[in-house]
Short mmCIF file of all heavy atoms in Angstrom, two decimals:
data_model
loop_
_atom_site.label_atom_id
_atom_site.label_comp_id
_atom_site.label_asym_id
_atom_site.label_seq_id
_atom_site.Cartn_x
_atom_site.Cartn_y
_atom_site.Cartn_z
N SER A 3 28.35 40.86 16.01
CA SER A 3 27.81 39.56 15.65
C SER A 3 28.69 38.48 16.25
O SER A 3 29.91 38.58 16.21
CB SER A 3 27.69 39.42 14.14
OG SER A 3 28.68 38.64 13.61
N THR A 4 28.05 37.52 16.84
CA THR A 4 28.78 36.38 17.39
C THR A 4 28.21 35.12 16.78
O THR A 4 27.02 35.01 16.52
CB THR A 4 28.60 36.31 18.93
OG1 THR A 4 27.23 36.19 19.22
CG2 THR A 4 29.15 37.56 19.59
N ASP A 5 29.07 34.20 16.52
CA ASP A 5 28.62 32.92 15.99
C ASP A 5 29.37 31.80 16.69
O ASP A 5 30.51 31.98 17.11
CB ASP A 5 28.77 32.83 14.48
CG ASP A 5 30.17 33.11 14.00
OD1 ASP A 5 30.96 33.65 14.78
OD2 ASP A 5 30.47 32.78 12.84
N SER A 6 28.72 30.69 16.81
CA SER A 6 29.34 29.53 17.45
C SER A 6 29.08 28.30 16.58
O SER A 6 28.01 28.14 16.01
CB SER A 6 28.77 29.32 18.85
OG SER A 6 27.39 29.04 18.78
N HIS A 7 30.09 27.49 16.48
CA HIS A 7 29.99 26.25 15.72
C HIS A 7 30.05 25.08 16.69
O HIS A 7 30.81 25.08 17.64
CB HIS A 7 31.15 26.11 14.72
CG HIS A 7 31.13 27.15 13.65
ND1 HIS A 7 30.28 27.08 12.59
CD2 HIS A 7 31.85 28.28 13.49
CE1 HIS A 7 30.48 28.13 11.80
NE2 HIS A 7 31.43 28.88 12.34
N GLU A 8 29.22 24.11 16.41
CA GLU A 8 29.20 22.93 17.24
C GLU A 8 28.88 21.74 16.34
O GLU A 8 27.98 21.79 15.51
CB GLU A 8 28.12 23.08 18.31
CG GLU A 8 27.99 21.92 19.24
CD GLU A 8 26.86 22.14 20.24
OE1 GLU A 8 26.13 23.14 20.15
OE2 GLU A 8 26.70 21.27 21.10
N THR A 9 29.62 20.67 16.48
CA THR A 9 29.37 19.46 15.71
C THR A 9 28.67 18.46 16.63
O THR A 9 29.18 18.12 17.70
CB THR A 9 30.68 18.86 15.17
OG1 THR A 9 31.32 19.85 14.37
CG2 THR A 9 30.40 17.64 14.33
N VAL A 10 27.49 18.03 16.21
CA VAL A 10 26.70 17.09 17.01
C VAL A 10 26.34 15.90 16.14
O VAL A 10 26.43 15.95 14.91
CB VAL A 10 25.41 17.75 17.56
CG1 VAL A 10 25.74 18.83 18.55
CG2 VAL A 10 24.56 18.28 16.45
N GLU A 11 25.94 14.83 16.79
CA GLU A 11 25.49 13.64 16.06
C GLU A 11 23.97 13.60 16.05
O GLU A 11 23.32 13.91 17.05
CB GLU A 11 26.04 12.37 16.71
CG GLU A 11 27.53 12.22 16.55
CD GLU A 11 28.04 10.90 17.10
OE1 GLU A 11 27.26 10.18 17.75
OE2 GLU A 11 29.21 10.61 16.87
N ALA A 12 23.40 13.23 14.91
CA ALA A 12 21.95 13.14 14.78
C ALA A 12 21.60 11.80 14.12
O ALA A 12 22.37 11.26 13.34
CB ALA A 12 21.41 14.29 13.93
N THR A 13 20.44 11.29 14.47
CA THR A 13 19.96 10.04 13.89
C THR A 13 18.98 10.35 12.77
O THR A 13 18.04 11.11 12.96
CB THR A 13 19.27 9.19 14.96
OG1 THR A 13 20.18 8.97 16.03
CG2 THR A 13 18.85 7.85 14.39
N VAL A 14 19.21 9.75 11.60
CA VAL A 14 18.34 9.94 10.45
C VAL A 14 17.58 8.64 10.23
O VAL A 14 18.17 7.57 10.12
CB VAL A 14 19.15 10.30 9.19
CG1 VAL A 14 18.24 10.43 7.98
CG2 VAL A 14 19.93 11.57 9.42
N ARG A 15 16.24 8.77 10.17
CA ARG A 15 15.40 7.59 9.99
C ARG A 15 14.21 7.97 9.13
O ARG A 15 13.60 9.01 9.32
CB ARG A 15 14.92 7.10 11.35
CG ARG A 15 13.98 5.96 11.27
CD ARG A 15 13.51 5.44 12.60
NE ARG A 15 13.87 6.28 13.71
CZ ARG A 15 13.18 6.34 14.84
NH1 ARG A 15 12.10 5.63 14.98
NH2 ARG A 15 13.56 7.12 15.82
N ARG A 16 13.86 7.10 8.21
CA ARG A 16 12.65 7.31 7.40
C ARG A 16 11.49 6.66 8.14
O ARG A 16 11.54 5.49 8.48
CB ARG A 16 12.83 6.69 6.03
CG ARG A 16 13.88 7.40 5.19
CD ARG A 16 13.93 6.80 3.81
NE ARG A 16 12.64 6.81 3.17
CZ ARG A 16 12.26 7.65 2.22
NH1 ARG A 16 13.10 8.56 1.80
NH2 ARG A 16 11.08 7.58 1.68
N VAL A 17 10.46 7.45 8.37
CA VAL A 17 9.30 6.98 9.12
C VAL A 17 8.05 7.15 8.25
O VAL A 17 7.85 8.21 7.67
CB VAL A 17 9.13 7.76 10.43
CG1 VAL A 17 7.92 7.28 11.20
CG2 VAL A 17 10.38 7.65 11.28
N PRO A 18 7.21 6.11 8.15
CA PRO A 18 5.98 6.26 7.37
C PRO A 18 5.01 7.21 8.06
O PRO A 18 5.00 7.33 9.28
CB PRO A 18 5.42 4.84 7.30
CG PRO A 18 6.00 4.16 8.49
CD PRO A 18 7.34 4.78 8.73
N ARG A 19 4.18 7.86 7.29
CA ARG A 19 3.15 8.74 7.84
C ARG A 19 1.93 7.89 8.18
O ARG A 19 1.29 7.31 7.31
CB ARG A 19 2.79 9.82 6.85
CG ARG A 19 3.95 10.74 6.55
CD ARG A 19 3.50 11.87 5.66
NE ARG A 19 4.60 12.70 5.29
CZ ARG A 19 4.91 13.82 5.92
NH1 ARG A 19 4.20 14.22 6.93
NH2 ARG A 19 5.94 14.54 5.54
N PHE A 20 1.64 7.84 9.48
CA PHE A 20 0.56 6.98 9.95
C PHE A 20 -0.79 7.41 9.38
O PHE A 20 -1.62 6.57 9.04
CB PHE A 20 0.51 6.98 11.48
CG PHE A 20 1.54 6.10 12.11
CD1 PHE A 20 2.86 6.50 12.18
CD2 PHE A 20 1.19 4.87 12.61
CE1 PHE A 20 3.82 5.69 12.76
CE2 PHE A 20 2.13 4.05 13.19
CZ PHE A 20 3.46 4.46 13.26
N GLY A 21 -1.03 8.71 9.26
CA GLY A 21 -2.30 9.20 8.75
C GLY A 21 -2.59 8.75 7.33
O GLY A 21 -3.74 8.46 6.99
N VAL A 22 -1.55 8.69 6.52
CA VAL A 22 -1.73 8.26 5.12
C VAL A 22 -2.13 6.79 5.08
O VAL A 22 -3.07 6.40 4.36
CB VAL A 22 -0.43 8.49 4.32
CG1 VAL A 22 -0.52 7.86 2.94
CG2 VAL A 22 -0.13 9.97 4.22
#
Side-chain angles (χ1 to χ4, degrees):
S3 103
T4 59
D5 55 344
S6 63
H7 295 283
E8 180 182 5
T9 302
V10 294
E11 291 185 351
T13 304
V14 177
R15 176 179 10 153
R16 293 184 55 104
V17 179
R19 296 185 184 264
F20 281 77
V22 171

